[in-house]
Amino acid sequence: MFNSVSISISDDESDELAGKMRVRSRRKRKKLRFRGQDDFLRRMFRKLLKWWMLLLFLPAVGLLILETSRIAGKPNEGSKSLSKSGFVGEEISEGNLNHLNPTTRMVNGVRERCLKLLPPEKLQHLDIPAGEEPTLPVKRLVYKSDIESSYVGGNATVLQHTEATRFNLFTGYQTLHEREQSFKVNETAVVHCGFYSENGGFKVSIEDKNYMQTCKVVVSTCTFGGGDDLYQPINMTEESLRKVCYVAFWDDITFRTQEAAGRKIDENQMIGKWRIVLVKDLPFTDQRLNGKIPKMLSHRLFPQARYSVWVDSKSQFRRDPLGVLEALLWRTNSTLAISEHGARSSVYDEARAVVKKHKATPEEVEVQLSQYRRDGFPNDKRYNGKKALSEASVILREHTPLTNLLMCLWFNEVVRFTSRDQLSFPYVLRQLKVLKTVNMFPVCTRKDLVNSMGHLRKAQPLVT
């Protein structure tokens, strides 16, 4: 019979021993896990060291292929590209050039396009409306010339114009009485309107005159004094390219400036889509005033044209001209379309801004405003629901006797007073009382019409 020996173990000791064993077991497993991860990382590091050049090379090749495909997809500068919609354009990545995205605005909580053109398929077959007998109050316009105004030149007349020094053989010598009479609308209007004498200047070649006689619809611009480059119009239909003339007026300074920059006129007197017309004997020493001639007197330069679109040299026209005429003139039964001013609404506010920005002297601005106050021109910010001030960098018009008269009177105002045409256009508009035929479109519509680059250089003064 065996003697029994009992060994007592307390519950606390049992739990403590079990706990230590569990801790050792967990620590052992933890060490094994970290060791496995370290081995994996070491293997990956060795592979990276082995293949690092390949890993860098593959993304570089991908980027190179992507950039090559992008370059190959763009035509060269000056090349013509025809999109599926039928529009012809230029693709030049330079500043603000060649943007075609439409400008939009919020109307009653809904975002709408500012310029609502016809669909591309309709633009491709857009015809110029048939000419109709004008029903406007002015049916015939007679321009004063040196023959019709043979009385000009006497001592009394010269004394009347001692302060109006910018009147010359190009403009004729309009008296204040003639100015007052010119605003009275009659079926036959007789008015000064530039080209007063053969010795007045603004001469173009016979070849250019013959070309300008063929234009029925014209888009025009000008640069005198070499201040701006020439921007090619974009986004036209082939129909517009066939029916519309694109004419840029240059002087000798601009010609030399552009030729030095590599923009040379070809044997057809063209640069891209623009027909270049070189002007000799500019009539004013103020280049801004010379620029008002093609801007305001396109009906005199293009006597056979029915429609014209003016674009300032600082802008690139980026819409189909026939489509724009349909949207802003034909659809609205208007004969002239011009933008509201973007910053100000009153002529008198604009006059203060002109003086502040040193665009005219306080004295010459005050002469103009004093005359307007005497004529009863109000300091209104709204006129028939529109801004009372316009912005004239884009002008579309039908060459009717009434709109031609308006442009002649506007031109005479910038000759008599300051060349800041924004001051005088609202005055002429009120004096003629023709707002029903004028479409004052919003600023955002103007921004949709053009890409604006601003003036690049200061225009060189005319050297006589």
Side-chain angles (χ1 to χ4, degrees), residues 308-310 317 321 324-325 328-329 335-338 394-398 441 449:
S308 65
V309 179
W310 166 262
F317 195 60
V324 170
L325 289 171
L328 299 181
L329 292 186
T335 57
L336 187 144
I338 193 170
V394 182
I395 305 171
L396 303 96
R397 65 187 181 100
E398 182 179 0
F441 52 82
L449 289 170

Side-chain angles (χ1 to χ4, degrees), residues 207 265-270 275:
E207 183 182 4
I265 304 173
D266 66 18
E267 63 277 6
N268 297 315
Q269 304 302 309
M270 304 286 290
R275 167 77 179 226

Side-chain angles (χ1 to χ4, degrees), residues 65-314:
I65 293 173
L66 178 63
E67 189 65 23
T68 302
S69 64
R70 288 177 59 188
I71 295 174
K74 289 186 177 182
N76 293 329
E77 180 176 343
S79 66
K80 186 190 298 185
S81 62
L82 186 62
S83 67
K84 293 180 180 179
S85 62
F87 292 108
V88 178
E90 302 279 343
E91 296 292 341
I92 310 170
S93 177
E94 181 183 336
N96 219 20
L97 274 174
N98 302 303
H99 293 182
L100 293 176
N101 294 337
T103 306
T104 60
R105 61 174 177 167
M106 295 297 294
V107 179
N108 298 324
V110 179
R111 184 162 294 280
E112 295 182 355
R113 182 167 178 171
C114 296
L115 178 63
K116 297 179 181 178
L117 296 174
L118 292 174
E121 59 273 12
K122 290 188 177 181
L123 287 179
Q124 285 281 19
H125 303 93
L126 191 60
D127 290 326
I128 301 171
E132 298 179 359
E133 189 70 21
T135 58
L136 299 170
V138 179
K139 299 187 184 311
R140 181 167 175 261
L141 200 57
V142 177
Y143 305 119
K144 288 193 173 184
S145 68
D146 53 352
I147 298 174
E148 293 160 349
S149 303
S150 57
Y151 57 87
V152 174
N155 291 334
T157 304
V158 172
L159 289 174
Q160 284 180 324
H161 295 83
T162 52
E163 294 183 1
T165 55
R166 297 198 297 186
F167 286 113
N168 56 29
L169 286 177
F170 178 83
T171 63
Y173 297 92
Q174 185 196 57
T175 66
L176 282 172
H177 175 72
E178 287 173 325
R179 174 182 179 271
E180 182 181 345
Q181 292 299 311
S182 67
F183 287 104
K184 295 180 179 180
V185 177
N186 299 304
E187 282 197 4
T188 299
V190 182
V191 65
H192 291 89
C193 199
F195 301 91
Y196 172 82
S197 164
E198 289 185 359
N199 299 320
F202 207 89
K203 297 177 181 178
V204 300
S205 69
I206 297 297
E207 183 182 4
D208 286 331
K209 278 186 179 181
N210 292 338
Y211 173 81
M212 291 155 64
Q213 289 270 359
T214 66
C215 298
K216 303 299 181 184
V217 181
V218 59
V219 176
S220 63
T221 188
C222 83
T223 301
F224 296 142
D228 291 311
D229 291 340
L230 185 65
Y231 304 110
Q232 293 297 322
I234 57 175
N235 208 31
M236 300 86 69
T237 61
E238 292 288 356
E239 189 73 9
S240 286
L241 285 175
R242 285 193 295 269
K243 293 181 177 179
V244 178
C245 299
Y246 298 85
V247 177
F249 294 92
W250 284 3
D251 63 349
D252 288 333
I253 299 173
T254 302
F255 172 76
R256 292 194 298 269
T257 302
Q258 294 297 304
E259 190 173 48
R263 301 179 185 91
K264 296 185 178 182
I265 304 173
D266 66 18
E267 63 277 6
N268 297 315
Q269 304 302 309
M270 304 286 290
I271 295 182
K273 300 174 184 69
W274 292 105
R275 167 77 179 226
I276 308 300
V277 173
L278 293 178
V279 182
K280 305 291 185 180
D281 299 332
L282 291 172
F284 304 106
T285 56
D286 183 352
Q287 293 284 28
R288 291 173 300 179
L289 196 53
N290 286 321
K292 306 306 178 188
I293 298 170
K295 180 175 185 175
M296 298 177 180
L297 306 184
S298 59
H299 57 284
R300 304 227 60 186
L301 292 164
F302 303 93
Q304 303 302 320
R306 285 192 55 209
Y307 296 96
S308 65
V309 179
W310 166 262
V311 183
D312 271 5
S313 59
K314 64 184 178 182

